[in-house]
Amino acid sequence: MNILDKIVADKHKEVALKKSVIPAKQLEQSALFDRTTNSLAEALQNSTAGIIAEHKRRSPSKAVINQKVSVQNVALDYETAGACGMSVLTDGKYFGGSLEDLLLARATVQMPLLRKEFIIDEYQLLEAKAYGADVILLIAAVLNRDQIKSLSEFAKSLSLDVLLEVHNQQELEKSIMPSLDMLGVNNRNLKTFEVSTDISKSLSSQIPDDFIKVSESGISSIEAIKDLKQYGYKGFLIGETFMKTENPGASAVQFIKALHH
């Protein structure tokens, strides 16, 4: 059983438990549920930098990345730095995140927020909306085509943007459908955890132009971004590069400034 299978098995249990405690109706009555969402796809389309900056305390492959900073400070700094959006990890067991992190980020900033989560159930999309997300992530590696279709269509009915993540050509082929806004290529091999932007480059020509192309993971230099832009990428999800520093916001400021020059 690889790490992804483990996470998904745990997620099924977690969602079942949550459903038994907080009914969907309660989520729909939350103060944020009727909020007008901000489109990350539009923000990326109109940006020259295209940075989606992440808040991530730890990961299965790296253990602790940064437990010290507060999500509000990081969110505010990312927004000030000029990030197009922020990715907030809400998985607790493997990444040390929570829905509370999403809520605190939402209370602090206006920019689009992505709920970074292993989504397997419509209930999690209601949660995303109730806690202030603008965008949800669907991971092709853990969903079949029918699930991708029903989850992405449900997300669109809630006015949430959909970023679909693929790791290889098979995943890309089964995933292309009109209910997606952005197609993300994860440069990390989920089985070996090795990272290379070559996969973003090789898949770029097969992603239709109707979708905003996003490259995810292992992007730590300005050169890497300039290189990927030539392949049509408009969005760059930066996970650990900022978070592993003492001050993620300051690191983002320097990085985005350098990118503009």
Side-chain angles (χ1 to χ4, degrees), residues 11 14 18 54-60 63 66-67 71 87-104 115-118 243:
K11 200 54 66 179
E14 183 190 307
K18 284 182 161 184
E54 192 152 84
H55 180 265
K56 172 159 68 172
R57 292 189 180 84
R58 55 188 169 86
S59 76
N66 191 335
Q67 300 276 29
V71 68
S87 162
V88 182
L89 269 132
T90 60
D91 173 78
K93 182 171 178 182
Y94 296 92
F95 292 89
S98 68
L99 277 164
E100 181 81 346
D101 286 338
L102 184 58
L103 198 59
L104 290 170
R115 179 183 187 189
K116 185 92 173 277
E117 181 57 89
F118 299 84
M243 281 305 289

Side-chain angles (χ1 to χ4, degrees), residues 199-217:
I199 183 73
S200 280
K201 295 176 191 176
S202 66
L203 290 181
S204 65
S205 60
Q206 293 163 61
I207 300 173
D209 290 336
D210 331 0
F211 307 108
I212 301 277
K213 295 179 198 177
V214 179
S215 186
E216 309 170 15
S217 291

Side-chain angles (χ1 to χ4, degrees), residues 17 40 52 135 149 157 187 191 218:
L17 274 173
L40 177 62
I52 307 161
V135 196
K149 187 174 191 299
S157 77
N187 299 309
K191 298 201 169 71

Side-chain angles (χ1 to χ4, degrees), residues 12 17 40 50 104 120 137-138 159 170 175 214 221 232 234-235 259:
H12 278 283
L17 274 173
L40 177 62
L104 290 170
I120 43 137
L137 174 76
L138 296 178
S159 303
Q170 293 89 314
S175 305
V214 179
S221 69
K234 301 279 280 181
L259 192 56

Side-chain angles (χ1 to χ4, degrees), residues 37-54:
T37 50
N38 287 331
S39 169
L40 177 62
E42 280 175 27
L44 292 174
Q45 183 66 54
N46 300 321
S47 167
T48 50
I51 302 296
I52 307 161
E54 192 152 84

